[in-house]
Amino acid sequence: IVFTSHIAFADTFKTVIVNRTDLSVTSYDRMSHGIILNEEETNVAGFVTADEDYDNQVTNYNVLMLDGSEYEFQLRYGMSACNFALRDSLLYVANSHPISTGSGLHCYDLSADKMLWDADVLQLNVGHSQYYNNVIISLYKDKVIMEGFEAYGHYLQIFDAYTGERLANFDIGFPLDK
């Protein structure tokens, strides 16, 4: 469970992670919009902060890995709610807005310091009054599995981890825009 300070309300920045298994607490002196776990998903490998530029419809992301390396990238129509998966030097980013429809899936190569691909994610695209949206990604072999849990429906999409090509689509409850 992750708790983090908010830039508008905090005098100092802190992110606290509570382990659900043993209730141990680890804290870091930084704010975070998301954490990056190591490949085994057992330890924190880094943090991501996001700054939304509404005028230009982009979000600037700053990645700070615990080894001290830093990366920056930008996503058009990006959002600060993100889920991350890491394999080797590839950082997979699923972004969404918690109270609006839509999501994106991207792959950023940390070693090359460049965006490799943006996937063609199918969307529910419905009104968002009293809406919720949560997108989770995971890796399995050479696939990225993207699960969307939205107020108006749930979906699962599978993408090639190296190209971003959508390989399969399963919609549950409401058809996705195709």
Side-chain angles (χ1 to χ4, degrees):
I1 304 169
V2 179
F3 300 93
T4 192
S5 54
H6 189 278
I7 195 165
F9 304 110
D11 293 331
T12 60
F13 297 135
K14 186 165 286 284
T15 296
V16 176
I17 301 173
V18 179
N19 183 314
R20 293 185 300 187
T21 305
D22 62 8
L23 300 179
S24 61
V25 175
T26 307
S27 64
Y28 301 90
D29 292 328
R30 73 175 289 111
M31 179 188 72
S32 175
H33 286 98
I35 61 170
I36 301 168
L37 297 178
N38 64 354
E39 292 186 37
E40 296 79 30
E41 297 185 349
T42 55
N43 294 308
V44 174
F47 298 95
V48 178
T49 55
D51 177 34
E52 295 181 48
D53 180 348
Y54 297 105
D55 293 335
N56 295 311
Q57 298 179 329
V58 297
T59 299
N60 300 301
Y61 296 89
N62 179 274
V63 177
L64 174 63
M65 302 301 283
L66 290 184
D67 68 5
S69 56
E70 291 190 59
Y71 308 91
E72 293 182 1
F73 60 91
Q74 189 177 78
L75 294 176
R76 185 152 177 78
Y77 307 115
M79 294 161 261
S80 59
C82 292
N83 187 264
F84 303 93
L86 179 67
R87 177 174 291 149
D88 299 323
S89 68
L90 301 181
L91 180 64
Y92 299 93
V93 181
N95 68 320
S96 61
H97 195 285
I99 60 170
S100 181
T101 62
S103 58
L105 178 63
H106 318 274
C107 180
Y108 184 79
D109 186 339
L110 298 173
S111 65
D113 199 20
K114 71 176 186 175
M115 190 65 65
L116 292 182
W117 51 256
D118 300 302
D120 180 21
V121 178
L122 297 177
Q123 308 294 330
L124 291 174
N125 289 326
V126 295
H128 67 274
S129 178
Q130 297 181 344
Y131 205 83
Y132 67 85
N133 186 6
N134 187 24
V135 178
I136 298 169
I137 57 172
S138 56
L139 299 173
Y140 178 73
K141 297 184 180 181
D142 60 348
K143 311 287 188 287
V144 178
I145 301 166
M146 182 178 199
E147 300 173 79
F149 303 93
E150 300 190 29
Y152 212 59
H154 308 300
Y155 61 84
L156 180 115
Q157 296 180 58
I158 300 173
F159 298 86
D160 181 280
Y162 301 104
T163 66
E165 176 188 357
R166 186 178 351 94
L167 303 173
N169 166 48
F170 308 95
D171 48 337
I172 303 164
F174 194 80
L176 295 166
D177 289 345
K178 298 179 179 173

